[in-house]
Amino acid sequence: MPGAEVFPALMIIQLTSLAVKSILLDVEGTTTPMEFVYDVLFPFARKNVKEYLQRNFSSGEVEKVVNMLRKEHENDVARWAEPPFWDTSSKENEVRSIGNYLLWMMDKDKKSTALKRLQGKIWEEGYERNELKGEVYPDVLPAFQRWRKENLELRIYSSGSVLAQKLLFSHSNAGDLTPYLQGYFDTNIGMKNAPDSYRRISKEMKLNSPEIVFLSDNVVELDAAKKTGMKTLLCVRPTDAYKPAPLSDHRIITSFDEIQ
Ligand SMILES: [Mg+2]
């Protein structure tokens, strides 16, 4: 098995004996294959954005998003980013040109709150219509059940919005996982590479940092968490095993089965 020699024999980590009370989980690359976000979620939003906009243009939520987008577009024009033209000559043209602007932002992977909000609404509809199913690795449900039996609190910290997180876990291929989850954090609490974000999270959880273990596939995030005293585990999923595990001082797991 190529890459297998990278990992030591399976060693079970007993969290409760380490005085851990809560597990904080990253999503992409930890509970969920990276490909789900890039090959399923983003293309779904792309495919449906124009039609969604057209159908919901006069709804309050879309109106709010459009107002945010208008300001953002003005800024883009001012900083010479050359976004597509915002055409106000008719309602039809305006809807079409906003659609083009949104696709342009997606191409640029622009960090836009308005775009994120609209994507969330499009995904919500997709999940509700069963056109989307949140993907989690097969070891996730048994781990959630096992950890909850041990009275460990489970929370999510992802750069995807809290709405997107709740949708993914409530409509997952392993069923509704939200009853296992006690909380959700997104970048509203701070960026994932900033130690302060983890301090705020511990405070919100009313726990001391060493009582929390953070699971992520990203060494920079784990470094930030560790600086605050949180325990950390680096998740290297077997599908990623062809890549060498990143060098770090975080203990590696390849499956949640290793955590009791
Ligand atoms: Mg990740």
Side-chain angles (χ1 to χ4, degrees):
M1 203 170 104
E5 68 279 5
V6 176
F7 308 110
L10 195 94
M11 294 260 290
I12 300 298
I13 301 165
Q14 199 87 50
L15 285 184
T16 38
S17 68
L18 295 170
V20 167
K21 292 189 176 153
S22 179
I23 305 178
L24 185 64
L25 295 137
D26 163 60
V27 176
E28 284 172 44
T30 302
T31 63
T32 296
M34 213 73 109
E35 298 77 44
F36 175 67
V37 180
Y38 291 98
D39 296 348
V40 179
L41 282 188
F42 285 149
F44 186 87
R46 225 192 139 77
K47 196 179 98 204
N48 291 290
V49 67
K50 284 196 170 179
E51 189 269 332
Y52 184 90
L53 209 57
Q54 216 157 26
R55 192 157 34 84
N56 298 288
F57 198 62
S58 28
S59 80
E61 172 67 16
V62 169
E63 214 168 283
K64 262 183 232 155
V65 170
V66 167
N67 286 334
M68 290 161 82
L69 286 172
R70 196 174 287 117
K71 283 198 195 95
E72 216 169 316
H73 188 270
E74 281 168 15
N75 288 335
D76 282 333
V77 171
R79 70 182 177 92
W80 222 265
E82 301 187 345
F85 178 58
W86 189 299
D87 188 349
T88 53
S89 59
S90 69
K91 190 191 145 193
E92 212 187 356
N93 288 342
E94 185 166 26
V95 174
R96 193 181 312 123
S97 66
I98 298 170
N100 288 334
Y101 177 47
L102 285 160
L103 291 176
W104 178 84
M105 287 205 284
M106 290 181 198
D107 287 340
K108 298 223 171 314
D109 196 20
K110 200 165 179 251
K111 304 287 170 246
S112 154
T113 310
L115 172 63
K116 258 194 183 180
R117 236 164 111 162
L118 201 67
Q119 279 172 328
K121 299 306 286 181
I122 295 169
W123 292 330
E124 185 170 40
E125 218 178 67
Y127 282 113
E128 275 164 7
R129 290 181 178 174
N130 256 330
E131 291 167 27
L132 282 176
K133 268 252 170 284
E135 201 180 329
V136 295
Y137 289 111
D139 56 345
V140 170
L141 173 63
F144 279 16
Q145 291 169 331
R146 192 169 64 243
W147 295 337
R148 286 301 296 144
K149 245 186 228 151
E150 294 291 329
N151 273 325
L152 291 157
E153 294 176 359
L154 311 182
R155 291 181 177 83
I156 303 294
Y157 182 28
S158 160
S159 37
S161 68
V162 166
L163 169 66
Q165 299 172 22
K166 285 183 177 167
L167 287 169
L168 192 160
F169 287 105
S170 59
H171 299 79
S172 92
N173 53 351
D176 181 6
L177 298 175
T178 53
Y180 299 98
L181 295 167
Q182 281 70 59
Y184 307 85
F185 300 99
D186 60 20
T187 49
N188 279 318
I189 198 113
M191 300 309 284
K192 293 183 83 183
N193 55 9
D196 272 345
S197 309
Y198 299 87
R199 283 189 194 104
R200 281 185 213 115
I201 287 173
S202 311
K203 211 173 155 192
E204 287 244 335
M205 288 190 193
K206 299 188 173 64
L207 290 174
N208 298 316
S209 300
E211 294 174 317
I212 303 164
V213 60
F214 178 46
L215 269 60
S216 171
D217 62 324
N218 185 311
V219 171
V220 180
E221 296 173 2
L222 292 170
D223 287 344
K226 198 171 198 168
K227 269 194 192 128
T228 72
M230 267 188 203
K231 294 185 170 67
T232 53
L233 288 170
L234 175 61
C235 208
V236 181
R237 287 292 184 174
T239 44
D240 304 327
Y242 64 93
K243 287 183 251 161
L247 272 182
S248 78
D249 55 356
H250 305 285
R251 179 159 176 184
I252 291 171
I253 55 160
T254 59
S255 159
F256 289 177
D257 296 344
E258 294 167 51
I259 310 171
Q260 293 296 313

